[in-house]
């Protein structure tokens, strides 16, 4: 169990400040951050004491909800800002490619564990779980395997030996294995693969049984895509899990990959998670990303925030949902751009490691509230006549950023708002609260947004103090 850590600081984004203190599930106040900075002066950089450090890391928010928040990673990138954020923000790592058969045994009998070992060591040094990915798949297999001619008996031995070797190597160090990946077609029939064609559907039970023998402590999952909502494919997976359980085959969970398209979170996601949970298995969101047509804009980023939030919230709502893993945490490390030309921006951080609204969507679904430290609102009367006036509020951030906002104030002399633009304002007595419009919730570090309103006044028209929430 990890009790303390030190890590150097990225200059932007949540998790930006070096910390030596034990992890706390609650927001770190600025004073505490400054104290921590003072104790590690050698690490302080110009941006280190900025207010965004007050945002609680996702892993702490998730822990407070009893959930895991993970990311797929590339081992060679686990230094600098990428490493800092991977370690600070996430409580689980999935090797994006490093544990696939083609990576670990490119030549039969010759193994390369370098990247997989590196990721497991990094995770252990940062108190993180590892999600093993993946033991049995139709893709990213070594060519000696896919090009070989094998009898069923030989295939069966290859399968068993591979699982014994790989799961055995990491025995006791892997929280969950994606034992079988993507076994189904979209219509719920079994995918035609090396394994299915050679061994029939029994290869799934065989693989699970071998994995249990190799690492009895690891949770054993079947993982697939397009099984997030209730549909033919997820129902086939459901029926498979049910029959495996009925026949005593070791199966502990199902992974819903969740490679989603902007605005298309299935409405039956939570219901689907729940039906698997009711079968007596855990569920994990294993490869979440939400791709959009490029270029991104604030409307798309706001929708993406809602999508990440909805998926995370569906997991939070079901006790047996273990957690959410994003398939790469930065847009500079995503499979999407090369696979879907014209699409991208699918992850919670941009390519410069600045948190996107999607980051805050995850945080909010995990119970986090946004810090407004580093952002301020100014109130100005831009026009005034005998009974009315026009006001403008500008919200500016420096060393911090917002993904949504409310500007709040209390009128001191009976002013009443009659209409507003670029915000939705409500007034109750003297208390006013204005929420961002759908298109201007994002206030980037170093940027600002404004909204305006008309109001009535009489007597005096004193300017109130505006606070942000
Ligand atoms: O395709 C997205 C994911 C779907 N579910 C299973 C996951 O394992 C899969 O991950 C992706 C990786 O993120 C990609 O990085 O799997 C791809 C392969 O199907 C990975 O792409 C491969 C490229 O095809 C190779 O050319 C490249 O050498 O990544 C390799 C390493 O960068």
């Amino acid at each position: 169990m990890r009790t303390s850590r030190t890590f150097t600081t990225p200059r932007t984004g949540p998790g930006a400040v070096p910390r030596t203190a034990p992890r706390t599930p609650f927001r770190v106040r600025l004073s505490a951050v400054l104290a921590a900075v003072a104790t590690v002066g050698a690490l302080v950089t110009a941006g280190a004491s900025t207010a965004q450090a007050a945002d609680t890391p996702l892993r702490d928010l998730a822990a407070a909800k009893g959930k895991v928040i993970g990311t797929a990673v590339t081992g060679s990138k686990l230094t600098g800002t990428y490493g800092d954020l991977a370690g600070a923000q996430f409580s689980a790592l999935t090797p994006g490619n490093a544990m696939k058969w083609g990576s670990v045994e490119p030549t039969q009998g010759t193994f390369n564990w370098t990247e997989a070992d590196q990721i497991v060591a990094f995770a252990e040094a940062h108190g993180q779980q590892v999600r093993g990915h993946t033991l049995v798949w139709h893709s990213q297999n070594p060519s000696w395997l896919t090009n070989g001619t094998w009898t069923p008996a030989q295939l069966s031995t290859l399968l068993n030996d591979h699982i014994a070797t790989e799961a055995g190597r990491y025995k006791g160090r892997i929280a969950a294995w994606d034992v079988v990946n993507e076994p189904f077609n979209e219509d719920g029939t079994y995918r035609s693969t090396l394994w299915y064609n050679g061994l029939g559907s029994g290869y799934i039970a065989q693989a699970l049984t071998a994995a249990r023998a190799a690492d009895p402590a690891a949770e054993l999952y079947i993982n697939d895509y397009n099984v997030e909502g209730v549909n033919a494919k997820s129902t086939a997976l459901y029926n498979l899990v049910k029959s495996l359980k009925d026949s005593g085959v070791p199966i502990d969970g199902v992974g819903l990959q969740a490679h989603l398209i902007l605005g298309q979170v299935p409405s039956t996601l939570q219901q689907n998670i729940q039906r698997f949970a009711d079968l007596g298995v855990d569920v994990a969101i294993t490869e979440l990303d939400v791709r959009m047509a490029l270029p991104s804009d604030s409307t798309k980023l706001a929708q993406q925030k809602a999508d990440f939030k909805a998926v995370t919230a569906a997991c939070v709502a079901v006790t047996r949902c273990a957690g959410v893993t994003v398939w790469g945490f930065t847009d500079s490390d995503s499979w999407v751009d090369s696979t879907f030309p014209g699409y991208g921006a699918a992850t919670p951080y941009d390519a410069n490691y600045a948190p996107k609204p999607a980051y805050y969507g995850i945080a909010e679904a995990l119970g986090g509230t946004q810090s407004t430290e580093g952002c301020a609102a100014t109130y100005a009367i831009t026009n005034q006549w005998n009974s009315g006036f026009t006001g403008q509020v500008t919200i500016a951030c420096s060393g911090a950023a917002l993904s949504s906002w409310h500007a709040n104030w209390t009128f001191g002399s009976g002013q009443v708002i009659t209409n507003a633009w670029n915000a939705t304002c409500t007034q109750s007595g003297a208390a006013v609260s204005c929420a961002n419009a759908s298109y201007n919730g994002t206030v980037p570090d170093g940027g600002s947004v404004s909204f305006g309103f008309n109001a009535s006044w009489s007597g005096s028209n004193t300017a109130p103090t505006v606070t942000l929430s």
Side-chain angles (χ1 to χ4, degrees), residues 7 17 52 113 140 159 168 170 202 204 208 253 369 387 389 399 442 458:
F7 41 95
V17 162
Q52 62 201 332
W113 303 106
Q140 284 181 287
L159 184 73
Y170 297 108
I204 296 173
L208 289 161
T369 53
S387 61
F389 69 101
T442 300
S458 62

Side-chain angles (χ1 to χ4, degrees), residues 24 60-61 69 103 110 124-125 153 171 207 210 240-241 256 274 278 280-281 291 305 327 329 337 340 350 444 450 462:
T24 157
D60 292 353
L61 296 172
I69 182 80
S103 300
T110 303
E124 290 174 347
K171 180 179 179 178
L240 170 63
V241 170
L256 315 181
Q274 187 66 57
D278 292 344
V281 292
R291 61 185 180 267
K305 175 185 178 182
W327 203 245
F329 65 89
D337 302 62
F340 301 98
D350 73 16
S450 295
T462 49

Side-chain angles (χ1 to χ4, degrees), residues 18 27 36 44 79 110 119 140 144 184 209 213 224 230 340 363 369 376:
R27 179 180 303 262
V44 173
T79 60
T110 303
I119 292 169
Q140 284 181 287
W144 64 263
F184 288 109
T209 303
D224 216 326
V230 175
F340 301 98
T369 53

Side-chain angles (χ1 to χ4, degrees), residues 273-285:
I273 296 172
Q274 187 66 57
R275 74 169 170 159
F276 281 104
D278 292 344
L279 272 184
V281 292
D282 292 340
V283 179
I285 307 296

Side-chain angles (χ1 to χ4, degrees), residues 102-190:
S103 300
V104 302
E105 195 183 6
T107 303
Q108 189 170 14
T110 303
F111 296 90
N112 182 352
W113 303 106
T114 308
E115 188 188 353
D117 284 355
Q118 180 197 359
I119 292 169
V120 172
F122 183 98
E124 290 174 347
H126 291 79
Q128 297 169 305
Q129 294 185 359
V130 177
R131 189 172 185 91
H133 177 86
T134 173
L135 293 170
V136 185
W137 195 22
H138 64 274
S139 182
Q140 284 181 287
N141 286 320
S143 52
W144 64 263
L145 178 63
T146 47
N147 295 339
T149 305
W150 313 105
T151 65
Q154 288 171 321
L155 262 189
S156 179
T157 302
L158 285 166
L159 184 73
N160 286 343
D161 288 353
H162 171 66
I163 293 170
T165 301
E166 180 154 12
R169 179 181 181 84
Y170 297 108
K171 180 179 179 178
R173 302 168 74 190
I174 303 290
W177 266 110
D178 291 331
V179 177
V180 177
N181 198 36
E182 303 173 359
F184 288 109
N185 295 315
E186 299 304 291
D187 65 0
T189 56
Y190 283 107

Side-chain angles (χ1 to χ4, degrees), residues 38-79:
T39 65
V40 287
L43 299 176
V44 173
T45 63
S49 62
T50 55
Q52 62 201 332
D55 285 323
T56 306
L58 295 179
R59 61 184 290 171
D60 292 353
L61 296 172
K65 293 279 184 192
K67 304 293 177 187
V68 170
I69 182 80
T71 181
V73 291
T74 302
S76 60
K77 298 184 179 178
L78 283 170
T79 60

